[in-house]
Amino acid sequence: MAWRASHYVATGALAAAGLVWAARDAWPGRQPVMAPVIRVEQAYVEYQRALGRSETLSDVLTRGGIVGRDRTDFLAAATDLPVRRLRPGVVFHFRRLQTDSIAHRVTVRLSPERRVRLSRGDAGWFQTTEAIPWTIARMRVTGTIGTSLYEALDKAVPERILPLAERHSLAWALAEVYDWQVDFTRDVHPGDRFRVLFERLESPEGEHRFGRVLAAVVDVAKVPTFAFSFAPDATEPSSFYDERGRSLKRAFLRAPLQFRRVSSGFGTRYHPLLHIWRAHEGVDFSAPYGAPVRATADGIVATVGRGDPGYGNLIELRHANGIRTRYGHLSAFASGLRVGERVQQGETIGYVGSTGLSTGPHLHYEFLVNGHPTNPRRKDMGAGAPVPKSLQSAYDAARARLLAELEPPPAPPQVSAAARADRIVAARDD
């Protein structure tokens, strides 16, 4: 049968339809439905809550969103948290998922070396305690004293090396090294220089802390006074010795206060309240109200309480060799201090006040030998134990190493640190 025109039209239509059907996946109605892309900028929400005054751990958890059964389970799991001894200001770090309303992790740092973390899992809260590793680096600083040691160290040590509070710790530590040798309020003068070698600690988060003093030298009246850390006994903490191995310690501290000012010396003076001339049998140290007062030597408490009207609140300590020390005008006594108790040198026994015959906050300090008032600033306070002879060579080697870091020799390179140390000793002997 011959093909008509209609046959050709039908065949073309079927072919076109087949092509369209073959391309059906490209039809607009056949395209898959695409949801908009969800971008999660931050999967977690982190926030902090600090323990306020008169608050409990439960109060902080409630403010952090942990309440009810979750809070009860949290407290049961937090066995390493000293719940009753947490100090106001301690910070709790909370973390929760964006999609959750309750925190799943709480971290609190109990000390610079220790952190406690509580996490919420399928079985409830569980606790992990981790030690914070601090790396130790040795730092050397030089400076010139202007108005005070604090001010000098603030200028000499940048913030990136030590924050302000840690610079103050360094100043206190340096003052303690020279507690028996140098009075930084009287002995040093503007222009006197110092060099200190110390350890700085750094945390994984980049925090910086002061560690300890290793060596130092302070020029007092243009005479260098050296201090080198050395431990004769591995079981005992290190002590400080001079370039010849003599101990910097003495039986008595130079003063019962740190960073103080002598407002009235030993001898006759015109009394500001009684308006008469009379003997002043001690030394008055001007200091802020509440400043801690230290025992100047090991001793036994002989008196603690209200003394004669002139003394106000008074502490008297009994020491060896018939020596007694008195501390007057106190605002308060150290907690638990009582007659007959033994105290150690440097231990806080009371606090500066203005009780008794006093015109303002200060400490009245007396030094009596067999009952006779003696000027403590002129009394030989007795030398401490030197480096044992059996360890002298070990000390010399340690001193040479520290000196090389404290005062790096500029030149010539062939001069050893040991030879430099020997030169200092020879110069002092001359």
Side-chain angles (χ1 to χ4, degrees):
M1 182 179 63
W3 279 60
R4 296 178 181 177
S6 59
H7 293 164
Y8 288 104
V9 172
T11 302
L14 289 172
L19 291 173
V20 172
W21 180 256
R24 63 185 182 281
D25 289 339
W27 297 354
R30 299 278 295 183
Q31 293 294 318
V33 177
M34 302 294 292
V37 177
I38 299 176
R39 292 186 178 180
V40 179
E41 300 292 341
Q42 187 176 357
Y44 302 100
V45 176
E46 296 188 0
Y47 51 99
Q48 302 175 3
R49 298 291 184 267
L51 181 67
R53 292 187 178 277
S54 303
E55 272 196 324
T56 65
L57 176 55
S58 293
D59 297 329
V60 176
L61 295 176
T62 299
R63 290 196 288 115
I66 300 177
V67 297
R69 180 63 180 271
D70 267 318
R71 185 178 62 190
T72 302
D73 293 344
F74 180 101
L75 294 173
T79 56
D80 284 349
L81 283 181
V83 177
R84 299 183 182 277
R85 298 193 304 276
L86 288 173
R87 295 184 176 181
V90 64
V91 178
F92 291 78
H93 300 264
F94 293 82
R95 182 176 183 178
R96 66 172 174 81
L97 290 168
Q98 285 276 15
T99 56
D100 202 347
S101 61
I102 301 176
H104 72 277
R105 193 173 80 182
V106 180
T107 305
V108 57
R109 192 163 173 177
L110 297 178
S111 71
E113 296 83 13
R114 188 162 157 259
R115 178 164 44 217
V116 175
R117 177 171 293 153
L118 286 108
S119 304
R120 183 164 56 89
D122 294 337
W125 290 92
F126 61 94
Q127 172 185 263
T128 57
T129 301
E130 60 183 75
I132 302 173
W134 291 79
T135 57
I136 300 175
R138 294 191 176 203
M139 314 292 292
R140 175 180 175 270
V141 61
T142 65
T144 302
I145 294 177
T147 58
S148 70
L149 185 62
Y150 272 151
E151 172 263 345
L153 281 168
D154 274 344
K155 289 183 177 180
V157 183
E159 181 74 17
R160 61 182 174 80
I161 300 298
L162 281 179
L164 179 62
E166 297 301 314
R167 294 200 296 274
H168 286 177
S169 296
L170 172 58
W172 280 100
L174 185 60
E176 288 179 354
V177 169
Y178 288 101
D179 230 343
W180 299 267
Q181 303 290 323
V182 179
D183 184 340
F184 282 98
T185 62
R186 292 174 60 88
D187 297 341
V188 296
H189 301 88
D192 285 345
R193 294 183 59 79
F194 64 88
R195 280 83 73 198
V196 186
L197 178 68
F198 65 94
E199 289 181 344
R200 187 194 70 176
L201 287 72
E202 182 174 357
S203 74
E205 291 81 10
E207 303 163 295
H208 293 148
R209 291 169 53 208
F210 164 71
R212 62 186 180 117
V213 173
L214 298 173
V217 57
V218 178
D219 296 334
V220 180
K222 298 183 179 180
V223 177
T225 301
F226 284 88
F228 299 101
S229 176
F230 183 69
D233 188 343
T235 61
E236 297 290 334
S238 59
S239 297
F240 285 90
Y241 302 86
D242 66 10
E243 65 277 12
R244 295 171 60 180
R246 297 173 299 189
S247 175
L248 266 60
K249 283 188 176 183
R250 298 292 185 268
F252 286 82
L253 296 173
R254 288 175 62 91
L257 295 166
Q258 288 183 312
F259 298 105
R260 64 276 166 188
R261 179 178 63 84
V262 175
S263 55
S264 183
F266 184 90
T268 303
R269 69 160 183 174
Y270 186 77
H271 198 281
L273 291 180
L274 300 179
H275 303 295
I276 59 173
W277 287 91
R278 73 173 190 175
H280 186 237
E281 298 179 341
V283 176
D284 286 349
F285 294 97
S286 178
Y289 191 93
V293 176
R294 309 174 297 172
T296 53
D298 295 349
I300 298 175
V301 179
T303 301
V304 56
R306 198 75 179 178
D308 292 340
Y311 287 107
N313 290 333
L314 173 73
I315 293 174
E316 182 174 308
L317 303 181
R318 185 175 72 252
H319 311 281
N321 303 318
I323 297 176
R324 289 176 178 251
T325 55
R326 289 176 181 165
Y327 312 78
H329 305 315
L330 301 173
S331 62
F333 310 109
S335 177
L337 193 72
R338 61 186 184 278
V339 173
E341 180 182 355
R342 291 186 177 275
V343 295
Q344 295 182 333
Q345 185 182 63
E347 181 179 339
T348 297
I349 56 175
Y351 302 90
V352 170
S354 188
T355 55
L357 293 177
S358 171
T359 58
H362 71 282
L363 174 72
H364 174 79
Y365 174 64
E366 289 185 15
F367 192 94
L368 298 94
V369 180
N370 295 321
H372 299 290
T374 304
N375 187 350
R377 304 185 65 82
R378 295 183 179 178
K379 176 68 178 175
D380 180 8
M381 297 306 178
V387 172
K389 290 184 177 180
S390 60
L391 296 175
Q392 188 64 47
S393 60
Y395 173 73
D396 291 342
R399 177 202 62 191
R401 289 192 298 269
L402 291 172
L403 183 63
E405 296 182 75
L406 180 66
E407 294 188 334
Q414 63 270 21
V415 177
S416 67
R420 181 173 173 79
D422 291 338
R423 286 182 183 180
I424 291 177
V425 176
R428 294 294 291 270
D429 288 342
D430 293 342

